Amino acid sequence: MLAIFKREIQAFFASPIGYLVIGLFLVLNGLFLWVFKGQYNIFDYGFADLGNFFLLVPWVFLFLIPAITMKSFSEEKKLGTLELLFIKPISIWQTVLGKFAGTMVLAGIAIVPTLLYVYCIAQLGTSVGNLDTGVVIGSYFGLLFLICSYTAVGLFASTLSENQIVAFITGMVLCFLLYYGFEALATLFSDGNSFLFIQQLGMKAHFTNISRGVLDTRDLIYFVGLGLFFLFLTVEQLKKQHS
């Protein structure tokens, strides 16, 4: 597993992909938060908090995470090296978890520079340092869980086709449906109980809960369960292709 993890990290930074993903993530967030006028602009928002950042970043990662994971297994299949992974003295689970951890590290590196936003927002308040750190910490935790789920979904999508573009589109669509699809579907129901039930099936509702600074066990179980479910599907899909 460690060898696969190191291989993934080296592959990301041996090519422009890793730098491009991190740079694109930071540029897009920076432009929408500080430059472009609109609902995400912090100066137009009028409040010194990071609420807009945590509203925006799930949508940015919805495109970038599938872009990172699209080559994980589709490229192996296209190059014919997938069989080599199966004959190595490691299990399929270890291979999947190694690739999963590599993607998580890359996404984590992209997030680290955004801690500068925390400092900037704290300085912009009417009273310097008047920032709800509990909400900020909770939001970052929620973001990590969201990235875990996106990554698991993206890895599964990469096993479905040897074409990286197909894997990217499939991963992006699945992430979108799981993040916002249930939220949109819930609006079709006038009954309050039905609305809440369907809404809670999506990632957005659980991410919003954690972003409020409250770590509810149900939200953590949801993200862990969702991630494990798609990692399981990834392993089963690889076993099916190997048999």
Side-chain angles (χ1 to χ4, degrees):
M1 175 179 163
L2 185 60
I4 297 293
F5 169 72
K6 289 181 178 178
R7 178 189 167 197
E8 287 296 299
I9 296 296
Q10 290 172 353
F12 283 136
F13 292 104
S15 68
I17 294 177
Y19 305 99
L20 182 63
V21 167
I22 294 173
L24 190 59
F25 172 76
L26 295 174
V27 168
L28 286 175
N29 279 293
L31 289 174
F32 279 101
L33 291 173
W34 305 99
V35 179
F36 295 155
K37 299 292 183 181
Q39 62 174 329
Y40 296 113
N41 188 284
I42 288 175
F43 298 112
D44 291 343
Y45 183 54
F47 296 95
D49 66 47
L50 282 170
N52 284 346
F53 169 68
F54 292 109
L55 285 175
L56 174 65
V57 73
W59 295 101
V60 177
F61 269 135
L62 191 148
F63 294 96
L64 292 187
I65 296 294
I68 300 172
T69 58
M70 66 181 183
K71 61 178 289 186
S72 295
F73 292 106
S74 60
E75 186 178 52
E76 303 275 9
K77 292 169 65 176
K78 186 175 182 179
L79 296 177
T81 56
L82 187 60
E83 291 297 323
L84 297 177
L85 292 177
F86 293 135
I87 63 175
K88 287 186 176 182
I90 57 175
S91 67
I92 297 178
W93 264 108
Q94 288 175 313
T95 300
V96 171
L97 290 176
K99 288 180 175 289
F100 175 80
T103 304
M104 285 294 300
V105 167
L106 183 62
I109 292 173
I111 291 174
V112 170
T114 66
L115 294 175
L116 180 62
Y117 297 162
V118 179
Y119 173 78
C120 293
I121 293 297
Q123 297 301 309
L124 287 173
T126 304
S127 300
V128 176
N130 185 23
L131 185 67
D132 191 336
T133 54
V135 172
V136 172
I137 293 172
S139 297
Y140 272 105
F141 266 112
L143 190 56
L144 288 175
F145 282 113
L146 191 69
I147 291 171
C148 286
S149 298
Y150 279 174
T151 301
V153 172
L155 287 177
F156 170 67
S158 73
T159 65
L160 300 178
S161 173
E162 65 178 28
N163 188 307
Q164 293 186 33
I165 301 302
V166 173
F168 167 70
I169 294 174
T170 303
M172 186 177 61
V173 170
L174 286 174
C175 286
F176 171 78
L177 292 175
L178 288 167
Y179 180 72
Y180 187 72
F182 290 104
E183 185 94 2
L185 182 62
T187 61
L188 301 177
F189 294 83
S190 56
D191 178 62
N193 292 330
S194 299
F195 176 87
L196 290 174
F197 174 76
I198 295 174
Q199 185 186 52
Q200 290 297 312
L201 295 176
M203 287 191 279
K204 188 173 185 295
H206 294 277
F207 174 70
T208 301
N209 290 341
I210 299 177
S211 298
R212 291 174 181 148
V214 179
L215 293 179
D216 192 316
T217 307
R218 291 171 295 182
D219 299 321
L220 303 184
I221 291 174
Y222 172 85
F223 280 114
V224 172
L226 185 65
L228 288 175
F229 174 68
F230 274 96
L231 289 177
F232 171 77
L233 291 182
T234 302
V235 170
E236 290 302 308
Q237 183 69 15
L238 290 173
K239 287 180 178 178
K240 180 181 176 182
Q241 294 170 2
H242 178 54
S243 60

